[in-house]
């Protein structure tokens, strides 16, 4: 049979929170809202201040909820500003801002993703089959603590050629349920 039969790799349009767009202007990597974690086609996404279009990050999995291939993570646009909303691939130059600096499948099945936008802060994705549904949860070190990634917000302004990142906010919750937050100002 087809090993990908029944495996979703992209969410339905309009599923989950519709917030914003991408890193080059100002971004927010949002972990899936409750109910979204069952869809590894969108583990987290980037919102921009420019418009509501989003860059989503998903993971290809097999029927057993194991990552497929050595580079199972992928990204794509969710064009919420379009009528009707639709998904599309990122262009080559957009991968420079929204692509992967590195991705690895670890021995225990977790994924380690390093985004070009924030390579010094890897996102670890834990995959688990729960009641026959594959769940993917992103984790990141925030203010020195391991936390479930809920939001990365990057504020940027237009520059001469490329945007200028002014600050990055990371937020989530630690294993103890306590909210964690960190603000990063590039160059400081």
């Amino acid at each position: 049979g087809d090993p990908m039969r029944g495996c979703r790799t992209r969410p339905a349009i309009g599923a989950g929170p519709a917030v914003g767009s991408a890193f080059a202007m100002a971004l927010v990597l949002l972990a899936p809202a409750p109910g979204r974690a069952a869809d590894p086609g969108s583990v987290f996404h980037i919102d921009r201040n420019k418009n509501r279009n989003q860059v989503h990050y998903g993971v290809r999995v097999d029927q057993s909820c194991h990552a497929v291939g050595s580079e199972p993570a992928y990204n794509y646009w969710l064009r919420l500003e379009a009528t009707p909303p639709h998904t599309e691939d990122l262009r080559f130059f957009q991968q420079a801002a929204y692509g992967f600096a590195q991705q690895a499948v670890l021995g225990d099945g977790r994924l380690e993703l390093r985004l070009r936008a924030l390579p010094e802060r890897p996102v670890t994705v834990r995959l688990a089959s729960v009641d026959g549904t594959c769940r993917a949860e992103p984790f990141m070190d925030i203010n020195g603590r391991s936390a479930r990634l809920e939001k990365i917000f990057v504020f940027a302004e237009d520059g001469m050629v490329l945007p200028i990142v002014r600050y990055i906010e990371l937020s989530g919750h630690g294993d103890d349920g306590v909210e964690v937050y960190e603000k990063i100002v590039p160059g400081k």
Side-chain angles (χ1 to χ4, degrees):
D2 178 7
M4 292 302 291
R5 197 175 113 249
C7 297
R8 292 178 62 187
T9 57
R10 291 202 178 173
I13 301 294
V19 185
S21 291
F23 177 86
M25 302 304 177
L27 59 86
V28 181
L29 296 173
L30 292 176
R36 286 293 303 268
D39 181 4
S42 184
V43 179
F44 58 91
H45 68 267
I46 294 174
D47 291 306
R48 298 181 305 160
N49 62 332
K50 183 178 178 180
N51 57 40
R52 295 185 316 118
N53 294 331
Q54 302 169 336
V55 177
H56 282 253
Y57 294 83
V59 177
R60 291 178 191 88
V61 296
D62 62 18
Q63 290 178 328
S64 300
C65 194
H66 297 117
V68 174
S70 61
E71 294 185 346
Y74 61 96
N75 56 14
Y76 60 93
W77 282 107
L78 176 54
R79 297 288 190 181
L80 295 170
E81 294 282 320
T83 304
H86 63 276
T87 61
E88 66 183 53
D89 292 337
L90 274 71
R91 295 190 179 107
F92 179 77
F93 69 91
Q94 293 167 330
Q95 292 289 355
Y98 310 120
F100 300 99
Q102 180 182 3
Q103 55 178 297
V105 179
L106 306 177
D108 59 3
R110 291 175 301 140
L111 304 178
E112 183 178 277
L113 308 176
R114 291 183 184 270
L115 302 177
R116 289 188 177 138
L118 200 58
E120 67 279 2
R121 295 293 177 106
V123 177
T124 301
V125 178
R126 297 179 190 164
L127 298 169
S129 183
V130 179
D131 297 324
T133 301
C134 189
R135 296 186 56 129
E137 294 183 310
F139 292 84
M140 175 183 269
D141 282 347
I142 301 172
N143 203 17
R145 295 187 56 199
S146 177
R148 186 177 191 292
L149 174 63
E150 293 173 4
K151 185 175 179 179
I152 298 175
F153 176 79
V154 177
F155 182 83
E157 297 172 342
D158 289 336
M160 293 295 284
V161 177
L162 297 173
I164 300 165
V165 175
R166 297 298 184 195
Y167 63 88
I168 302 167
E169 294 178 322
L170 307 173
S171 61
H173 283 84
D175 291 335
D176 56 4
V178 174
E179 186 174 347
V180 289
Y181 168 86
E182 181 177 0
K183 185 173 184 176
I184 300 168
V185 179
K188 288 193 175 184

